[in-house]
Amino acid sequence: MSEDVQTASPRPQPSSQPEEPPTESELLQRLETEGDAAADFLEELLDIADLDGDIDLDVDNDRAAVSVVGGDLSVLVGAGGVVLEALQELTRLAVLQETGERSRLMLDVAGHRAARRAELQARAQHAAESVRASGESLRLDPMTPFERKVVHDAVAAAGLVSESEGEEPQRRVVVLPAR
């Protein structure tokens, strides 16, 4: 009785050379490709759902920014943006399938995310002023990752520090007094 012996192939050794970051034109090309893949997915979704909407593509802070604008698109936003969050994840998966690379694209529908960003920036500014005046930390309501990032950026712009605490879906921003 003979036994087949299989030997494991040696694992490829990681390159000792650090990978070069993409040039600005390579990055722009990659983001445009992501945007195109996202647009194809969203156009098909709009057709299936029989919704009227136009898709705008842009690049914002080294991310593909995709906006769906047009008729009544509230069904794609959902209560508190929960459908928009899910649609963004599905769009990212469609881009991954098309390009083979993970995407950090941001999706906005009917200006919901843009309006929410402005609202959160104002709330963060107010929180920073309150913390500066009281000298006490301030815990904000639970937020999505997008919302927390907007608040962290606005608090930093106001000259204070913030941190996130808790577990999803109850993760929140805490604005800290100056040290």
Side-chain angles (χ1 to χ4, degrees):
M1 188 165 167
S2 72
E3 291 183 28
D4 289 333
V5 177
Q6 293 184 345
T7 58
S9 304
R11 286 188 168 174
Q13 295 297 314
S15 170
S16 61
Q17 299 290 328
E19 198 171 305
E20 294 278 328
T23 65
E24 191 170 323
S25 66
E26 290 170 334
L27 177 62
L28 186 59
Q29 178 62 41
R30 191 185 92 228
L31 294 175
E32 287 174 352
T33 300
E34 285 182 16
D36 290 341
D40 291 344
F41 170 75
L42 292 166
E43 284 172 355
E44 190 171 333
L45 177 81
L46 290 172
D47 285 344
I48 290 169
D50 197 26
L51 295 171
D52 291 326
D54 294 319
I55 298 172
D56 294 332
L57 303 176
D58 200 359
V59 173
D60 185 25
N61 293 325
D62 292 337
R63 285 184 177 203
V66 182
S67 299
V68 182
V69 296
D72 181 12
L73 299 170
S74 60
V75 68
L76 296 180
V77 174
V82 68
V83 175
L84 174 57
E85 290 291 327
L87 184 57
Q88 176 173 280
E89 289 308 310
L90 289 173
T91 304
R92 286 176 174 176
L93 286 172
V95 170
L96 172 64
Q97 186 173 1
E98 180 73 23
T99 66
E101 293 192 25
R102 193 169 168 269
S103 173
R104 296 177 37 230
L105 75 83
M106 291 298 295
L107 176 64
D108 194 5
V109 174
H112 174 81
R113 210 177 283 275
R116 184 73 176 135
R117 178 187 305 271
E119 177 185 322
L120 288 165
Q121 288 170 331
R123 185 182 299 173
Q125 183 64 38
H126 177 66
E129 291 167 5
S130 176
V131 167
R132 199 175 276 116
S134 72
E136 302 277 326
S137 296
L138 180 63
R139 284 175 174 71
L140 303 178
D141 292 333
M143 297 177 191
T144 67
F146 160 77
E147 292 170 333
R148 289 193 307 271
K149 170 124 179 55
V150 170
V151 171
H152 285 306
D153 290 349
V155 168
L160 291 180
V161 176
S162 59
E163 61 188 21
S164 292
E165 71 175 19
E167 300 295 322
E168 296 293 352
Q170 295 300 311
R171 197 154 171 81
R172 67 186 67 233
V173 173
V174 180
V175 182
L176 304 171
R179 297 175 193 213

